[in-house]
Amino acid sequence: MAPPNEQIVLLTDGAASLLAAKTATSILRYRGENVVGVLDRSRAGQTTNQAFGVGGDTPIIASLSDAPDATTLTIGIAPPGGRVPDEWRPILIEAAQRGMKLVSGLHDFLCDDEEIAAAAKASGAVIHDVRRNRERDLAKAVGVRDDCLRILTVGQDCSIGKMLTALELTKGLKDRGVDAKFIATGQTGIMIEGDGCPVDCVVSDFVNGAVEKQILANQHHEVLVVEGQATISHPAYSCVSAGLLHGSTPHGMVMVYEVGRENVHGVDHVPLQPLPKLIAAYETLAALRMPSKVIAIAMNSRNVSEEEAAVERERVRAELGLPVADPLRHGVGELVDAIEALRAEVIAPAEAAQ
Amino acid sequence: MAPPNEQIVLLTDGAASLLAAKTATSILRYRGENVVGVLDRSRAGQTTNQAFGVGGDTPIIASLSDAPDATTLTIGIAPPGGRVPDEWRPILIEAAQRGMKLVSGLHDFLCDDEEIAAAAKASGAVIHDVRRNRERDLAKAVGVRDDCLRILTVGQDCSIGKMLTALELTKGLKDRGVDAKFIATGQTGIMIEGDGCPVDCVVSDFVNGAVEKQILANQHHEVLVVEGQATISHPAYSCVSAGLLHGSTPHGMVMVYEVGRENVHGVDHVPLQPLPKLIAAYETLAALRMPSKVIAIAMNSRNVSEEEAAVERERVRAELGLPVADPLRHGVGELVDAIEALRAEVIAPAEAAQ
């Protein structure tokens, strides 16, 4: 788990939109108690709730000097190209000079930046490049404990709610007394959970193995809810999604989609695949390693009204014959019911047979 | 293309089997005119044909001093764990001291070995770590020229003949006057062709993009024959295979299998998927980006007799309704026919419509 006593400042300076500040909004939602401020010069003076719709009265500040007790500076947006913008450099160096921990999920590592690394070395500041890894284990398909249920969130696109759904499902299971664990597979998930593997930055030969290692290390839990990445139909990222699917060998999948989204985020000329076709493809690919079904649909309805969401929910329930819910709007009760039913089906008989 | 004047010594010292010396045997087969010797102390005195079944009278030597004019030392086997065995170190350092080029496809890079790197620096020797890359381009699905046909070799397993099939198909097309290009995606293919991308060592987020980049750079050719990697059903490597499939968006696929192989190479407790199921899965996954069919079967019949291969060929032809041939035993004529037929179907109409 993540350190409980951190005092985090999130850096979102220059974020064009709420979607671009996905890391910041997720940390506000799931580790908000550790966030003392958001550094964003264009929004300074507002609360995070006013600017990003989450985080309550957490202040947005214009300078690190406004947060003298902060222990950690976490980069909260993904800048274009994954590189550190020049206007951040004085802020990052100031934090390093103060001895603050620097946390970054960028593909370019802060520890490779000579000036920032030198400032950190001088003060003893820790640099945590979340995506940095030396994963070199090949998957061995050694088999996981029979009584450990694996659920993978999959999706129609990137940036659609797979991490959020996995976190909410984990919480929903825990609320019912199930020993569930969230398996983080991306930089934001790792910042929230405190462990996991940044699969999109692992050398491709070792992706399946890195995921299998996470599963084996956590197989003492009753249910593992694995954070999905991208989608197997994504023009750029299908490699990541396929390795994650086969490395985690899920018993069941929860499919996430967004109401109204029609094209691939960032590759706008490519249409999304229809859900029935995508679900069939996921089940076909999964079955090459282990049979697995999509057991529920998580709907992201942030861009439509309460009424429109209700109509859409009924439409998709009827079309796919599966439970459907927006985790933030409707709660995850129906989706957790589907996981519990699957668990009774695939785990309980094995235990009874012993 | 690869430099024509190289004088290569292949290092296979310690290779347990022919299969383990896959890089060496492939370079002997496709760049044999550049190989002046194979350094392998346990087999010294034999010819490569006696030891490995390829390369004719190329001598196997016990020391670099037996090849005084050699310009290049190429590591010809994949040692367990991808690391440099201790008994190779004196040989590699001697080559570096002599100013020879060192070529390695290992996951561990020679340039990161302080002693070897220092010896190379002192003599001016070049180190070429074929798997070393900084691929950072995301696939953009920008579209390839309409008149450039892409064929991908896919397979039932690793180390089964996908590279060999792609090389033979390229040669077969060229022999018919087609402007075909082999797109290398693995270390041995790159050593043979002189360009390409080592996809299994690219960070997973950038695999699709690295492959797309190879396609775009070569789309002026009439046919691109892309070297496949692993299989989408492989427990450890499916990540690589999926990214390669979607990055190359092939019009057609040629499926490679080996007669008699039943389990995954190196993960022996996992059975291979039956060809019909695997073909259907490949076509389903490919279609998420672009419709594609398996149009022919390349049979690897190295472990059976001429007669058994003939019976098996008829059996698979009947079962799958596709052309079947062992490229080394039967030639690739039937398989090239299938590619030409596909090209007439998908390319010619587009040209006629202009």
Side-chain angles (χ1 to χ4, degrees):
Chain A
M1 288 300 298
N5 299 325
E6 274 193 304
Q7 303 265 303
I8 302 170
V9 169
L10 294 168
L11 180 60
T12 66
D13 210 70
S17 70
L18 182 61
L19 203 62
K22 177 176 144 181
T23 298
T25 54
S26 298
I27 292 177
L28 283 166
R29 194 184 306 280
Y30 293 105
R31 287 192 64 196
E33 69 281 11
N34 292 115
V35 180
V36 295
V38 172
L39 202 167
D40 193 332
R41 285 169 287 195
S42 69
R43 297 174 175 87
Q46 301 180 42
T47 67
T48 59
N49 193 49
Q50 289 166 333
F52 297 116
V54 286
D57 292 334
T58 309
I60 301 190
I61 59 180
S63 160
L64 275 183
S65 58
D66 297 331
D69 296 329
T71 61
T72 301
L73 180 66
T74 297
I75 294 179
I77 69 173
R83 295 191 162 75
V84 173
D86 282 342
E87 56 270 31
W88 286 4
R89 302 186 60 79
I91 302 169
L92 292 165
I93 291 166
E94 181 186 349
Q97 287 169 339
R98 255 176 65 170
M100 292 173 72
K101 182 178 177 185
L102 302 183
V103 179
S104 167
L106 305 187
H107 268 295
D108 268 354
F109 302 138
L110 296 184
C111 66
D112 291 336
D113 182 301
E114 287 184 19
E115 207 178 354
I116 294 169
K121 193 173 176 190
S123 72
V126 172
I127 295 178
H128 182 197
D129 284 302
V130 177
R131 267 190 168 127
R132 193 156 186 256
N133 72 89
R134 287 278 296 167
E135 294 291 344
R136 293 290 287 271
D137 295 303
L138 293 175
K140 293 184 169 56
V142 287
V144 183
R145 278 172 62 141
D146 286 341
D147 55 353
C148 172
L149 186 82
R150 282 96 64 199
I151 300 294
L152 174 66
T153 57
V154 297
Q156 201 178 15
D157 197 2
C158 293
S159 299
I160 204 162
K162 289 179 291 291
M163 181 191 74
L164 182 147
T165 298
L167 285 162
E168 295 291 338
L169 290 173
T170 306
K171 183 171 181 305
L173 286 159
K174 285 181 177 173
D175 287 347
R176 295 193 191 179
V178 178
D179 171 22
K181 160 84 176 167
F182 169 74
I183 304 294
T185 65
Q187 67 272 19
T188 305
I190 295 168
M191 290 177 194
I192 291 168
E193 183 70 6
D195 58 22
C197 174
V199 295
D200 68 1
C201 208
V202 173
V203 164
S204 61
D205 246 4
F206 306 111
V207 167
N208 299 37
V211 176
E212 183 188 66
K213 196 165 68 174
Q214 291 291 321
I215 300 295
L216 294 175
N218 289 290
Q219 60 178 323
H220 54 285
H221 295 283
E222 291 176 317
V223 180
L224 304 181
V225 185
V226 182
E227 176 193 1
Q229 294 292 335
T231 171
I232 55 165
S233 64
H234 198 285
Y237 304 127
S238 57
C239 164
V240 182
S241 307
L244 181 52
L245 176 65
H246 285 160
S248 60
T249 54
H251 297 85
M253 300 173 277
V254 174
M255 171 66 72
V256 185
Y257 84 107
E258 182 177 6
V259 183
R261 194 187 295 199
E262 293 180 356
N263 298 308
V264 178
H265 177 64
V267 195
D268 301 330
H269 62 287
V270 178
L272 293 178
Q273 291 292 342
L275 286 181
K277 182 177 176 186
L278 186 61
I279 289 170
Y282 255 109
E283 293 178 349
T284 297
L285 189 60
L288 295 175
R289 291 287 305 120
M290 192 177 107
S292 183
K293 293 284 176 195
V294 170
I295 59 168
I297 307 291
M299 175 174 81
N300 176 341
S301 65
R302 60 183 159 193
N303 289 321
V304 298
S305 70
E306 190 79 32
E307 293 70 28
E308 288 168 314
V311 171
E312 168 77 0
R313 189 181 187 188
E314 284 311 315
R315 188 189 69 73
V316 176
R317 272 183 180 144
E319 181 189 1
L320 301 176
L322 292 170
V324 180
D326 182 324
L328 295 185
R329 193 163 237 163
H330 312 124
V332 290
E334 272 190 43
L335 313 184
V336 172
D337 287 347
I339 294 173
E340 294 260 63
L342 179 69
R343 186 162 165 245
E345 183 189 328
V346 302
I347 302 291
E351 287 182 344
Q354 283 171 0
Chain B
M1 289 298 298
N5 300 322
E6 273 192 304
Q7 302 266 300
I8 301 170
V9 169
L10 294 168
L11 180 60
T12 66
D13 211 73
S17 69
L18 183 60
L19 202 63
K22 176 177 144 181
T23 298
T25 56
S26 298
I27 291 176
L28 284 166
R29 194 185 306 279
Y30 294 104
R31 289 193 64 197
E33 69 280 10
N34 293 114
V35 180
V36 296
V38 172
L39 202 168
D40 192 332
R41 284 169 288 195
S42 69
R43 297 173 175 89
Q46 301 180 44
T47 66
T48 59
N49 193 49
Q50 290 167 332
F52 298 116
V54 285
D57 291 336
T58 308
I60 300 188
I61 59 181
S63 160
L64 274 184
S65 58
D66 297 331
D69 297 329
T71 61
T72 301
L73 180 66
T74 298
I75 295 179
I77 69 173
R83 294 194 163 73
V84 174
D86 282 342
E87 54 272 29
W88 286 3
R89 302 188 59 80
I91 302 168
L92 292 165
I93 290 166
E94 181 186 350
Q97 287 169 338
R98 257 177 61 173
M100 291 174 72
K101 182 178 176 184
L102 303 182
V103 179
S104 166
L106 305 187
H107 269 295
D108 268 355
F109 302 138
L110 297 184
C111 67
D112 291 336
D113 183 302
E114 286 184 21
E115 207 177 352
I116 295 169
K121 192 174 178 190
S123 72
V126 172
I127 296 177
H128 182 196
D129 285 302
V130 177
R131 265 188 170 129
R132 193 155 186 256
N133 74 86
R134 286 279 293 170
E135 294 291 345
R136 294 289 287 271
D137 295 302
L138 293 175
K140 293 183 169 55
V142 287
V144 183
R145 278 171 63 139
D146 286 341
D147 55 354
C148 172
L149 186 83
R150 282 95 65 198
I151 301 294
L152 173 67
T153 57
V154 298
Q156 201 179 17
D157 197 2
C158 293
S159 300
I160 204 161
K162 289 178 292 289
M163 181 191 72
L164 182 147
T165 298
L167 285 162
E168 295 291 337
L169 290 174
T170 306
K171 184 172 179 306
L173 286 159
K174 285 181 176 172
D175 287 347
R176 295 192 190 180
V178 177
D179 171 22
K181 160 82 176 166
F182 169 73
I183 303 294
T185 65
Q187 67 273 19
T188 305
I190 295 169
M191 290 177 194
I192 292 168
E193 184 69 7
D195 59 22
C197 174
V199 294
D200 68 0
C201 207
V202 173
V203 164
S204 62
D205 245 4
F206 306 112
V207 167
N208 300 39
V211 177
E212 183 188 67
K213 196 164 69 175
Q214 291 291 321
I215 300 295
L216 294 175
N218 290 289
Q219 60 178 325
H220 54 286
H221 294 284
E222 291 176 317
V223 180
L224 303 181
V225 185
V226 183
E227 176 193 1
Q229 294 293 336
T231 172
I232 54 165
S233 64
H234 198 286
Y237 305 128
S238 57
C239 164
V240 183
S241 308
L244 181 51
L245 177 65
H246 285 158
S248 60
T249 52
H251 297 86
M253 300 174 277
V254 174
M255 172 67 71
V256 185
Y257 84 106
E258 183 177 8
V259 183
R261 194 186 294 197
E262 293 180 355
N263 297 309
V264 177
H265 176 64
V267 195
D268 302 330
H269 63 285
V270 177
L272 293 179
Q273 291 292 343
L275 286 181
K277 182 177 176 185
L278 185 60
I279 289 170
Y282 256 110
E283 293 178 349
T284 297
L285 189 60
L288 295 176
R289 293 285 304 119
M290 191 176 107
S292 183
K293 292 284 176 194
V294 170
I295 59 167
I297 306 292
M299 174 174 81
N300 177 341
S301 65
R302 62 184 159 194
N303 288 323
V304 299
S305 70
E306 189 79 32
E307 293 69 31
E308 288 168 314
V311 171
E312 168 77 0
R313 190 181 186 189
E314 285 311 314
R315 188 190 69 72
V316 176
R317 272 183 180 144
E319 182 188 0
L320 301 176
L322 292 170
V324 181
D326 183 322
L328 295 184
R329 192 164 240 163
H330 311 124
V332 289
E334 273 190 40
L335 312 184
V336 172
D337 288 346
I339 294 174
E340 294 260 63
L342 179 68
R343 187 163 163 244
E345 183 189 327
V346 302
I347 302 290
E351 287 180 347
Q354 283 172 0

